Amino acid sequence: MTRTQEKFYQLFKYTVYVLLAMNVWWFFDEELAASAHRFADGVGLRDIIEGFAATIDTAAWVVLLLMFELETWVIEDRHVSPKLHWTLRFLRATCYAIIVYAFYGYLSKLLFLYGAVPLAGVNDLCSLVGNGWAYAIDFDEYEVLNAGNCGVLSAGSSFMQLQTLTAVVDLPGYQEILRLAWVDVINAGVWLGVVALLEFDVQMQSRDRLHGVTKTISNWAKYIMYSILFLAAVYWGLKGDFIDFWDAFLWLLAFAFIEMNFFEWQREMRDAKLQRAATPGYS
């Protein structure tokens, strides 16, 4: 790779990282609007993770991504002091805790959806106009019912109420929201597996043990998990959920860069080992 190509590569990589950081705002804006319907009495401390799971999750992932970038690319091994080593590990551990907590938030959303009940006595969406009801486009998007949109949103004759909320959805829409919630949970769970494996790779690579059977198993496990994540991105794209699709696409790109950092890190370690072996007096 020439110096010019290297510069363009690094520019592209960090542009992707910046776009991922911007997604934190997009998710917050979406979840803030949804929280007005989900938490009519205001969002309490216990409700934050359930109401803003995607925002918290994405923010923690962005910080974690930067930690991996620092350790696999920016900081040379000879500059990693014990203090810096433990600082990076502490920051990553904090991010892991937040990500696991966000995973709980996705599970909470899914369980909340399973608590939906049939709305008795309503067979026409327009009959709910003027009473503060909203229609659930998806779990994080609600549209307040009015005379102009009630006939367009659904022509169904039976509806589900999302637990105690003044929000309804027809049966096909409810099934679709459930599927999207399941994809969220699966996606978040698989990413936990990816990051656990990357942490393992970092520790093995720092000890020059990421080779042979260990490397093969790690690569195959990541291949399977990245394939699942790719399918989740495709599903969101087909369903027209642009924000989730765009976010998933950027994360796959970002972690492809981290994998390339690993390849370069391994090459540098091999070159350093060969250089030491060729140095007179080396034993």
Side-chain angles (χ1 to χ4, degrees):
M1 186 181 292
T2 66
R3 291 178 63 87
T4 300
Q5 289 173 327
E6 175 68 20
K7 287 181 180 179
F8 275 112
Y9 170 76
Q10 295 299 327
L11 177 62
F12 178 59
K13 177 170 68 172
Y14 291 119
T15 298
V16 170
Y17 292 177
V18 170
L19 290 173
L20 281 170
M22 290 172 61
N23 281 357
V24 176
W25 164 254
W26 297 120
F27 280 120
F28 174 74
D29 186 58
E30 184 180 70
E31 290 183 316
L32 181 64
S35 68
H37 294 281
R38 178 73 192 280
F39 305 102
D41 297 327
V43 181
L45 288 176
R46 296 179 60 183
D47 303 321
I48 289 177
I49 190 59
E50 196 172 336
F52 297 93
T55 303
I56 295 169
D57 189 35
T58 304
W61 273 104
V62 169
V63 175
L64 187 60
L65 176 68
L66 296 179
M67 293 300 101
F68 278 121
E69 177 70 13
L70 286 173
E71 194 153 3
T72 62
W73 180 259
V74 177
I75 304 174
E76 296 183 14
D77 291 347
R78 58 192 175 89
H79 292 151
V80 180
S81 64
K83 182 178 180 180
L84 178 59
H85 171 75
W86 286 107
T87 299
L88 291 174
R89 293 195 69 175
F90 172 76
L91 289 173
R92 288 209 306 273
T94 302
C95 290
Y96 295 149
I98 295 172
I99 289 166
V100 171
Y101 189 38
F103 178 70
Y104 165 75
Y106 289 119
L107 281 175
S108 297
K109 284 185 176 183
L110 180 62
L111 293 174
F112 176 84
L113 286 172
Y114 274 109
V117 295
L119 188 62
V122 175
N123 53 24
D124 179 8
L125 194 61
C126 291
S127 66
L128 298 175
V129 171
N131 296 312
W133 286 87
Y135 188 82
I137 306 299
D138 61 37
F139 190 76
D140 292 318
E141 185 180 354
Y142 300 86
E143 190 165 339
V144 177
L145 294 173
N146 57 53
N149 65 18
C150 65
V152 176
L153 290 172
S154 175
S157 58
S158 57
F159 302 91
M160 300 291 290
Q161 180 182 1
L162 301 183
Q163 290 196 31
T164 58
L165 304 185
T166 53
V168 298
V169 62
D170 59 23
L171 292 180
Y174 175 65
Q175 292 299 323
E176 188 61 39
I177 291 175
L178 273 180
R179 283 192 287 268
L180 286 168
W182 267 110
V183 173
D184 278 346
V185 170
I186 293 169
N187 181 73
V190 173
W191 272 116
L192 285 175
V194 168
V195 78
L197 200 51
L198 281 174
E199 180 65 30
F200 172 80
D201 284 355
V202 167
Q203 298 306 317
M204 290 295 100
Q205 180 63 26
S206 64
R207 296 170 173 81
D208 194 21
R209 295 180 181 176
L210 189 61
H211 46 72
V213 176
T214 302
K215 182 175 176 60
T216 300
I217 293 174
S218 174
N219 287 343
W220 272 104
K222 283 188 286 187
Y223 175 79
I224 294 170
M225 288 189 285
Y226 282 133
S227 296
I228 294 172
L229 295 170
F230 175 76
L231 290 175
V234 170
Y235 182 80
W236 283 318
L238 292 175
K239 295 300 178 180
D241 193 338
F242 176 76
I243 292 180
D244 282 336
F245 165 75
W246 178 242
D247 183 69
F249 172 72
L250 289 177
W251 278 114
L252 286 171
L253 271 181
F255 275 83
F257 293 138
I258 297 299
E259 295 292 345
M260 293 177 73
N261 287 353
F262 270 109
F263 293 144
E264 182 63 21
W265 188 8
Q266 288 177 315
R267 187 190 65 79
E268 290 176 354
M269 291 187 72
R270 285 195 302 268
D271 290 348
K273 186 184 295 185
L274 291 172
Q275 185 175 6
R276 288 195 302 270
T279 301
Y282 174 82
S283 57

